[in-house]
């Protein structure tokens, strides 16, 4: 006789539901723990700040406090002298426990440290905080975006989206594109040809997708289109999940020319006619050029009837590297970074 007990017909669906509920409960528990930790760190920082102001505490008292807390709670990491100074810095710069309009407790502790110590402009800091919450950036991703100055590049491409797309989608599409795009991860010189760049982007597709941003799904390269017996090949074809549309990317290893927009306009018409599904939004085009004259690009796009963006790309980074590429772990902080000054500023570490 078999020991296998027949299962009810709805058992698989119920099991799936249970797994989802358990996973959601775990996420809520983790978020609750993080909120409590961030609140605790803020309270400790506020206490230190108050005592420094009222009682003239110096660095030696904080060092003693760190040692006493580590002895009392040896199983808990995070009570180093350096981290206590970060707590003070947090309380000083976020007196209402918010980064702009964003509750700091939505973010893990070292995301908060990254934002406070590496971004000085309050509006910029709030933007990164919001994007981190919405996009689910890891600390390394956040640090990379700050280093690459995403705030100053996002939404800066020349486009005709306001005219060619309905209002809700046009704003999202505009924010999706950036200028310039950074392709320094390819290891190519400024004189690289289009096919070299295309081959490199495919070899480094993960880096390419990260630079394009959230929502892009790679469909193919040199995608073949046939129109009345003639063959045409799209450099790179993507689908954007949030925009719900195809995105045609054309590479030009030269300065932007108005005829580039006309060629891309033709490709978009063909994709809309042959590939786009009925429930897809209109296909968007992105011209990546070595350089561009923004006014020339604006004039060229004003006579185009398809949504197109024009942006430059950089094979060799020209943006100033004011920031290091990653933050240390809690254990590395005391050894790799110098102590904060008595006034709570971040000194040369920024």
């Amino acid at each position: 006789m078999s020991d296998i007990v027949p299962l009810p017909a709805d058992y698989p669906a119920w099991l799936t539901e249970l797994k989802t509920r358990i996973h959601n409960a775990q996420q809520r528990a983790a978020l609750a723990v993080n909120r409590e930790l961030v609140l605790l760190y803020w309270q400790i920082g506020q206490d230190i700040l108050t005592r420094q102001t009222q009682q003239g505490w110096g660095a030696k008292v904080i060092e003693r406090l760190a040692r006493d807390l580590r002895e009392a709670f040896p199983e808990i990491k995070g009570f180093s002298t350096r981290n206590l100074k970060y707590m003070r810095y947090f309380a000083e710069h976020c007196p209402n426990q918010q980064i702009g309009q964003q509750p700091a407790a939505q973010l893990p502790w070292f995301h908060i440290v990254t934002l406070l110590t590496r971004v000085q402009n309050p509006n910029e800091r709030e933007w990164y905080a919001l994007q981190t919450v919405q996009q689910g950036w890891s600390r390394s991703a956040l640090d990379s975006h700050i280093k690459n100055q995403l705030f100053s590049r996002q939404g800066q491409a020349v486009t005709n989206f306001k005219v060619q797309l309905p209002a809700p989608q046009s704003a999202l599409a505009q924010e999706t594109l950036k200028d310039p795009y950074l392709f320094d991860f390819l290891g190519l010189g400024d004189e690289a040809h289009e096919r070299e760049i295309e081959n490199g982007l495919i070899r480094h597709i993960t880096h390419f997708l990260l630079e394009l941003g959230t929502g892009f799904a790679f469909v193919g390269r040199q995608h073949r289109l046939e129109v009345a017996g003639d063959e045409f090949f799209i450099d790179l074809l993507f689908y954007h999940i949030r925009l719900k549309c195809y995105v045609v990317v054309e590479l030009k290893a030269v300065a932007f020319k108005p005829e580039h927009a006309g060629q891309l306009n033709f490709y978009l018409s063909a994709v809309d006619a042959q590939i786009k599904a009925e429930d897809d939004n209109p296909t968007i085009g992105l011209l990546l050029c070595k350089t561009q004259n923004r006014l020339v690009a604006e004039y060229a796009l004003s006579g185009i009837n398809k949504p197109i963006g024009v942006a430059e790309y950089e094979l060799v980074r020209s943006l100033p590297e004011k920031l290091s590429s990653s933050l240390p772990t809690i254990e590395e902080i005391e050894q790799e970074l110098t102590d904060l000054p008595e006034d709570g500023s971040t000194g040369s570490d920024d």
Side-chain angles (χ1 to χ4, degrees):
M1 294 179 60
S2 174
D3 293 332
I4 298 177
V5 178
L7 296 175
D10 64 345
Y11 179 84
W14 177 63
L15 178 61
T16 299
E17 179 189 349
L18 279 182
K19 290 179 180 178
T20 301
R21 285 159 55 186
I22 292 170
H23 178 68
N24 290 341
Q26 289 175 324
Q27 287 186 319
R28 289 194 299 270
L31 289 173
V33 169
N34 181 73
R35 283 194 296 269
E36 290 299 322
L37 180 67
V38 170
L39 175 60
L40 172 64
Y41 282 179
W42 185 89
Q43 291 171 337
I44 292 175
Q46 185 62 44
D47 286 349
I48 293 174
L49 195 61
T50 300
R51 283 165 171 73
Q52 282 189 320
T53 302
Q54 297 178 352
Q55 303 174 20
W57 273 24
K60 295 298 182 183
V61 179
I62 296 179
E63 291 175 3
R64 173 60 185 272
L65 177 63
R67 185 167 65 252
D68 289 341
L69 288 176
R70 286 199 300 266
E71 289 178 358
F73 304 99
E75 74 283 0
I76 299 179
K77 297 180 180 180
F79 289 135
S80 67
T81 301
R82 180 68 175 186
N83 211 34
L84 290 177
K85 290 185 177 182
Y86 277 144
M87 295 176 201
R88 178 192 65 186
Y89 196 70
F90 175 38
E92 180 181 9
H93 289 80
C94 300
N96 57 0
Q97 302 180 46
Q98 291 193 172
I99 299 176
Q101 300 298 315
Q102 307 305 312
Q106 293 181 109
L107 300 164
W109 170 241
F110 270 96
H111 284 65
I112 295 173
V113 171
T114 301
L115 290 168
L116 290 177
T117 60
R118 306 212 172 199
V119 183
Q120 301 307 310
N121 182 285
N123 292 332
E124 186 174 342
R125 183 185 295 159
E126 181 179 2
W127 184 85
Y128 280 114
L130 177 61
Q131 295 301 311
T132 298
V133 172
Q134 291 182 343
Q135 310 296 342
W137 288 344
S138 66
R139 182 161 62 95
S140 61
L142 170 61
D143 186 71
S144 177
H145 290 315
I146 292 172
K147 183 187 77 169
N148 292 332
Q149 300 182 35
L150 181 61
F151 175 78
S152 62
R153 297 187 294 128
Q154 196 75 44
Q156 296 305 306
V158 177
T159 75
N160 60 358
F161 293 163
K162 286 185 178 181
V163 177
Q164 298 300 332
L165 293 173
Q169 191 187 22
S170 64
L172 178 58
Q174 181 69 48
E175 189 62 26
T176 297
L177 303 188
K178 60 190 71 165
D179 185 29
Y181 285 83
L182 304 182
F183 296 157
D184 55 325
F185 57 83
L186 297 178
L188 298 174
D190 278 333
E191 302 306 315
H193 298 294
E194 292 170 13
R195 188 53 59 90
E196 291 180 274
I197 299 171
E198 182 183 323
N199 290 338
L201 292 175
I202 298 304
R203 284 197 305 271
H204 300 274
I205 189 64
T206 299
H207 286 90
F208 185 27
L209 288 171
L210 287 173
E211 177 61 13
L212 286 176
T214 304
F216 282 89
F218 180 59
V219 177
R221 63 178 296 195
Q222 292 300 308
H223 190 89
R224 178 180 176 275
L225 296 173
E226 183 178 337
V227 180
D230 291 335
E231 288 186 324
F232 302 90
F233 295 90
I234 294 172
D235 285 347
L236 299 163
L237 183 62
F238 295 85
Y239 189 86
H240 197 280
I241 297 171
R242 292 185 64 197
L243 292 172
K244 292 182 171 51
C245 70
Y246 285 96
V247 180
V248 174
V249 177
E250 283 291 298
L251 291 166
K252 300 297 179 184
V254 295
F256 170 78
K257 298 177 182 178
E259 53 263 36
H260 296 158
Q263 178 191 33
L264 183 52
N265 190 67
F266 167 76
Y267 288 161
L268 298 182
S269 297
V271 171
D272 279 343
Q274 299 181 14
I275 302 176
K276 183 178 94 65
E278 289 186 7
D279 56 347
D280 286 334
N281 288 318
T283 304
I284 289 173
L286 171 60
L287 270 169
L288 293 175
C289 303
K290 188 173 182 179
T291 59
Q292 66 158 312
N293 181 310
R294 294 184 69 89
L295 185 58
V296 171
E298 290 174 3
Y299 282 0
L301 296 186
S302 66
I304 296 294
N305 62 8
K306 293 291 185 181
I308 292 177
V310 180
E312 296 182 355
Y313 63 82
E314 293 182 2
L315 295 175
V316 179
R317 182 186 298 270
S318 63
L319 293 176
E321 288 201 32
K322 299 183 296 182
L323 307 162
S324 61
S325 61
S326 62
L327 280 174
T329 63
I330 293 176
E331 294 82 358
E332 294 169 333
I333 283 177
E334 290 181 277
Q335 299 183 16
E336 293 191 5
L337 299 177
T338 58
D339 285 337
L340 289 171
E342 287 299 303
D343 63 1
S345 66
T346 56
S348 60
D349 291 342
D350 290 346

